[in-house]
Amino acid sequence: QIAAASGDCLYIAQYPDRIQLCEVSTGTQYTDFYKNASYDTWYYCEIERDESTGTYGTLLCRIYSDESRTSLVDTLSVTLHEKEDFRTLYACASHYNNGDKPYSQEIKNLDLQETIKKSYSVAAAGDDGDIYNVNTLDSSGTRLLVGDSEENPVNPSAFMRFTNVDIPAGATIVAATLVLVATGGRYDGGATPSGSLMGRKVANCPQFTTLTNYNDTTTYPRTTANVTWWPSSANWGNTGANRTSPELKAVVQEIIDLEGWASGNAIQIEWHYINNGWYGSEDEYTADCREFIAYEDATYNPPILNVEYTGGAAAGNPWWYYRRKRMAI
């Protein structure tokens, strides 16, 4: 009826032998099918409207055979033909085909909570840097370094400040990762040295311009949540490729939960070197460090913070962003 009225809708439907994903745009239907569906079988679906691709985005349906959604059966994809925001969702569970082949369906675990994806990059000079030789805050170079470098003193930490983080207060962080462009390192310390990612437990982290302020962990404490990260040579290298951190959602959540947090505030993530008693720089030929691209580099991307969240008192229309729904049919 919607199609006949030249209307618009997005839908997923299960028939006896297939699952169909469809966009109806001014009455015209655009579809993709999973053609191996079976009777009496649960299919666990995740539906996403990805507006980062193409002119109007892509409608996706990932079909899994298990409730934890780890065994992917098929991915349906429909290129969208217009940007249309909807406010109504119908969950129907039966079908009567031409009066002679009735059957029924069940729907469970229908999760209507939005999962919104956002990416933030270091966007200004002075918003990233490292601590050189323990006693100098340097935010002017094209490379950032953490660790013990050959013939040079130890760089105990590097920092990355992300501004205009438009995550609403009260949001639940589903996932968060840091993406850095590796430019090389040294790995003479073996398994002994290590590194830790943490944030500043400040509702709106300022830009640090002096080492005194950076080291003031009373006014600007660090998060209790932290994540170990010290990639091996094989997982870092000097290829200029993106390297993704372990899961940081607990770090970001601790900041978002602070009193005074508001959409548009700034988050600072820091990478700290843990020497565990190993000082390679005492020997001019040994070192253990990781180097990566800074904001000032003109070729590669600066540090990027990717965050997925749900809920919160978001302003405006949250359907503007990625939409992801989960259900089983």
Side-chain angles (χ1 to χ4, degrees):
Q1 290 175 333
I2 293 175
S6 299
D8 304 300
C9 69
L10 308 174
Y11 72 84
I12 180 174
Q14 182 184 11
Y15 300 95
D17 59 349
R18 69 191 188 277
I19 296 173
Q20 176 180 346
L21 183 70
C22 183
E23 175 199 28
V24 178
S25 176
T26 60
T28 301
Q29 298 196 49
Y30 305 92
T31 62
D32 192 13
F33 294 92
Y34 170 56
K35 298 180 180 180
N36 297 312
S38 302
Y39 286 112
D40 298 325
T41 302
W42 282 105
Y43 294 98
Y44 299 88
C45 302
E46 186 175 72
I47 303 169
E48 179 177 355
R49 177 168 153 181
D50 180 356
E51 293 181 353
S52 69
T53 58
T55 303
Y56 301 110
T58 304
L59 185 66
L60 301 167
C61 178
R62 302 178 187 90
I63 304 171
Y64 301 87
S65 60
D66 60 319
E67 192 165 357
S68 62
R69 294 171 174 81
T70 57
S71 298
L72 184 66
V73 173
D74 197 5
T75 299
L76 306 183
S77 176
V78 174
T79 299
L80 296 174
H81 293 77
E82 64 177 341
K83 184 186 182 314
E84 186 74 29
D85 289 334
F86 302 97
R87 69 173 65 190
T88 305
L89 185 146
Y90 295 94
C92 304
S94 65
H95 180 70
Y96 196 72
N97 185 18
N98 298 326
D100 62 348
K101 296 179 181 178
Y103 70 93
S104 62
Q105 289 178 294
E106 293 180 274
I107 296 176
K108 66 178 181 179
N109 299 345
L110 181 59
D111 179 3
L112 303 182
Q113 180 63 63
E114 300 291 345
T115 299
I116 300 171
K117 294 181 179 180
K118 293 295 187 73
S119 292
Y120 309 97
S121 63
V122 171
D127 278 340
D128 62 4
D130 53 28
I131 307 304
Y132 175 75
N133 190 22
V134 181
N135 57 23
T136 301
L137 188 151
D138 182 6
S139 59
S140 60
T142 61
R143 302 290 187 271
L144 302 177
L145 186 142
V146 180
D148 190 351
S149 59
E150 182 179 329
E151 296 186 276
N152 287 312
V154 173
N155 282 23
S157 66
F159 60 91
M160 295 140 278
R161 180 173 177 260
F162 304 95
T163 56
N164 298 316
V165 178
D166 54 347
I167 299 175
T172 298
I173 306 302
V174 176
T177 54
L178 191 65
V179 179
L180 307 178
V181 178
T183 57
R186 291 290 301 271
Y187 313 94
D188 298 326
T192 302
S194 185
S196 179
L197 294 168
M198 60 189 70
R200 288 287 178 157
K201 195 173 181 177
V202 182
N204 190 18
C205 189
Q207 185 183 88
F208 293 114
T209 58
T210 68
L211 185 66
T212 299
N213 286 341
Y214 185 84
N215 288 335
D216 182 1
T217 56
T218 299
T219 306
Y220 312 106
R222 295 186 172 104
T223 58
T224 302
N226 64 90
V227 177
T228 298
W229 192 35
W230 201 241
S232 65
S233 175
N235 294 318
W236 192 254
N238 57 359
T239 63
N242 289 345
R243 302 303 183 195
T244 302
S245 75
E247 180 60 66
L248 292 172
K249 65 180 180 181
V251 174
V252 177
Q253 188 72 67
E254 189 172 340
I255 299 170
I256 298 298
D257 287 345
L258 290 171
E259 183 179 353
W261 172 265
S263 177
N265 284 3
I267 289 177
Q268 179 156 303
I269 304 295
E270 299 174 1
W271 195 3
H272 292 262
Y273 175 64
I274 304 172
N275 63 62
N276 291 321
W278 188 90
Y279 281 100
S281 59
E282 292 181 357
D283 181 341
E284 63 178 355
Y285 300 109
T286 60
D288 205 292
C289 60
R290 307 294 182 267
E291 186 181 67
F292 56 98
I293 291 293
Y295 169 82
E296 283 78 4
D297 185 271
T299 302
Y300 296 101
N301 288 332
I304 293 172
L305 177 66
N306 292 320
V307 181
E308 295 184 40
Y309 71 90
T310 64
N317 182 4
W319 289 81
W320 183 269
Y321 304 106
Y322 283 62
R323 302 101 203 262
R324 177 174 293 174
K325 309 294 186 188
R326 287 188 165 192
M327 69 177 185
I329 55 177

